[in-house]
């Protein structure tokens, strides 16, 4: 019998758990540890953030799903990994601390044969003074509850505009090293659509504040694709949408401080600015969760398993080297933890070897460049890949070759939809193959025939269909495994 412990129940961890339970006999134990009681389809938080969906539309309780699927569930957070065990434990184990209100603060240990770290991001609002909804002055759509609060304050601003006030709304990045530019891009145009529907677009100045040097970078160094028979770039493609909708971009910016009415930011050119605002949804940078690691004698080995940002080191090439020497093969394939092939880090939990976009700094040394995007589609694939590797090794021995799923060979799709309705919405749909460009293969780094950008109602339908399908899949309803990651 094997014990598999999964830390985290987001897209990656939940996907891994469901596939492990599907592929292994019941004698094997599948355990999920998550501090959250609910699963959240995060891409649809955008619609919650404008009031078109509720938190109930994008979340559901995990415990009933896991009970039905015979998966052991602990509402808790992992705190310390002991990959070698210790004097009291003959096997590796992990310390967990319960967040379940009935057991809050209680600590226990879970022994494992295989461990999957799918803990997701820590939202680092503290990176910029004044950033965030809890202790700061800005709003967020990173969680369902954050999105609900964001929608409430957006509605307040719109009411004031209906009464005749003019307002400045800012959407974008709350730090020079943020990721998820695609989410900010999508929310920007959902807000713009809301303003038009409310009849107050003329009362609003809508600004997109980003760490991207060029529009359409999205943390993937931009894209080139063929549109209506002509080769174009994501910069031109995105720029046309900004001009059409009257959204003002501020590029190459790093927020330095945010008061209740002013955003202070620095640019790549080295200039400092103050931007008065009335409403701001600014995304935070991500770090890994504060997991620690100890050896069998209790010595701290956290730095061996984790990068300084607390993302877990896996089978990537972390050798420091200049941008010109970055290669697609630097990126991981198996997601096995360095030195411990029975530990995997998937989704947002693994440490990228380097950014995808070109790194840039201001004259003062402030890093202003997008971090690699962490999207749902690749995260699901990673979770399934780790699960399949574990199943192979349980059935055929630890020498069984690991499954592979490099972002340098994996595609991704992003559908940025505006509005909600069968005939009123539209979407900017993007696909790229692969996520990590390989300039040694093609001048554009990607397969230009499989890298596309489209705007229209069709993409909007796809976005809503994905919302329905992936919640159905995550609930493990009949035939869930037939829906691809």
């Amino acid at each position: 019998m094997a014990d598999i412990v999964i830390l985290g129940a987001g897209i990656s961890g939940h996907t891994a758990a469901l596939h492990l339970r599907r592929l292994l006999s019941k004698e094997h134990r599948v355990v999920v540890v998550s501090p959250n009681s609910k699963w959240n389809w995060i891409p649809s938080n955008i619609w919650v953030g404008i009031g078109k969906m509720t938190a109930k539309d994008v979340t559901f309780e995990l415990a009933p799903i896991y009970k039905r699927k015979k998966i052991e569930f602990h509402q808790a957070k992992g705190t310390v990994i002991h990959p070698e065990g210790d004097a009291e434990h003959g096997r590796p184990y992990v310390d967990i601390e319960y967040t379940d209100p009935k057991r809050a603060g209680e600590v226990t240990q879970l022994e494992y044969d295989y461990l999957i770290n799918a803990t997701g991001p820590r939202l680092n609002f503290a990176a910029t003074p004044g950033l965030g909804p809890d202790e700061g002055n800005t709003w967020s759509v990173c969680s369902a509850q954050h999105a609900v609060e964001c929608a409430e304050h957006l509605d307040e601003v719109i009411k004031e505009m209906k009464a005749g006030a003019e307002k400045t709304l800012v959407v974008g990045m709350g730090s020079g090293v943020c990721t998820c530019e695609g989410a900010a891009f999508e929310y920007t145009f959902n807000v713009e659509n809301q303003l038009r529907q409310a009849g107050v677009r003329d009362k609003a100045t809508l600004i997109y504040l980003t760490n991207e040097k060029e529009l359409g970078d999205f943390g993937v160094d931009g894209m080139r694709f063929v549109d209506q028979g002509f080769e174009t770039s994501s910069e031109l493609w995105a720029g046309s949408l900004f001009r059409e909708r009257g959204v003002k971009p501020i590029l190459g910016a790093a927020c330095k401080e945010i008061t209740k009415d002013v955003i202070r930011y620095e640019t790549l050119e080295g200039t400092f600015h103050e931007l008065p605002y009335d409403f701001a949804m600014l995304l935070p940078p991500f770090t890994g969760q504060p997991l620690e690691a100890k050896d069998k004698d209790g010595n701290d080995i956290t730095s061996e398993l984790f990068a300084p940002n607390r993302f877990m080191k896996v089978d990537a090439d972390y050798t420091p080297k200049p941008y010109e020497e970055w290669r697609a093969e630097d990126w991981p394939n198996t997601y096995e933890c360095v030195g411990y092939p029975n530990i995997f880090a998937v989704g947002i939990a693994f440490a990228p070897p380097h950014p995808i976009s070109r790194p840039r700094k201001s004259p003062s040394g402030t890093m202003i460049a997008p971090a690699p995007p962490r999207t749902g589609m690749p995260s699901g694939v990673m979770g399934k890949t780790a699960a399949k590797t574990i199943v192979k090794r349980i059935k055929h021995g630890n020498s069984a070759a690991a499954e592979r799923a490099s972002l340098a060979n994996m595609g991704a799709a992003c559908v940025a939809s505006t509005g909600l309705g069968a005939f009123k919405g539209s979407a900017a749909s993007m696909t790229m193959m692969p996520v990590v460009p390989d300039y040694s293969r093609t001048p554009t780094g990607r397969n230009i025939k499989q890298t596309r950008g489209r705007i229209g109602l069709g993409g909007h339908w796809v976005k809503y269909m994905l919302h329905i399908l992936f919640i159905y899949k995550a609930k493990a309803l009949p035939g869930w495994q037939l829906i691809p990651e």
Side-chain angles (χ1 to χ4, degrees), residues 315 331-335 381 385 389 401-406 409-410:
D315 62 312
W331 287 74
N333 287 284
T334 67
Y335 305 95
V381 172
T385 298
T389 297
E403 296 284 314
R404 302 168 72 85
S406 172
N409 295 309
M410 191 192 312

Side-chain angles (χ1 to χ4, degrees), residues 292-295 298-304:
E292 298 178 356
K294 293 184 179 180
D295 68 13
N299 299 311
D300 189 282
I301 55 170
T302 303
S303 62
E304 294 180 21

Side-chain angles (χ1 to χ4, degrees), residues 192-211:
E192 197 276 336
N193 184 66
Q194 284 291 100
L195 296 172
R196 281 191 288 112
Q197 287 190 342
V200 295
R201 185 65 183 89
D202 60 325
K203 299 290 185 182
T205 298
L206 182 55
I207 295 171
Y208 177 69
L209 180 68
T210 181
N211 54 357

Side-chain angles (χ1 to χ4, degrees), residues 428-450:
S429 308
M430 295 161 278
T431 61
M432 68 184 96
M433 175 56 95
V435 176
V436 176
D438 186 348
Y439 297 105
S440 69
R441 295 185 189 176
T442 66
T444 66
R446 298 186 172 94
N447 184 323
I448 200 165
K449 293 182 179 180
Q450 294 178 291

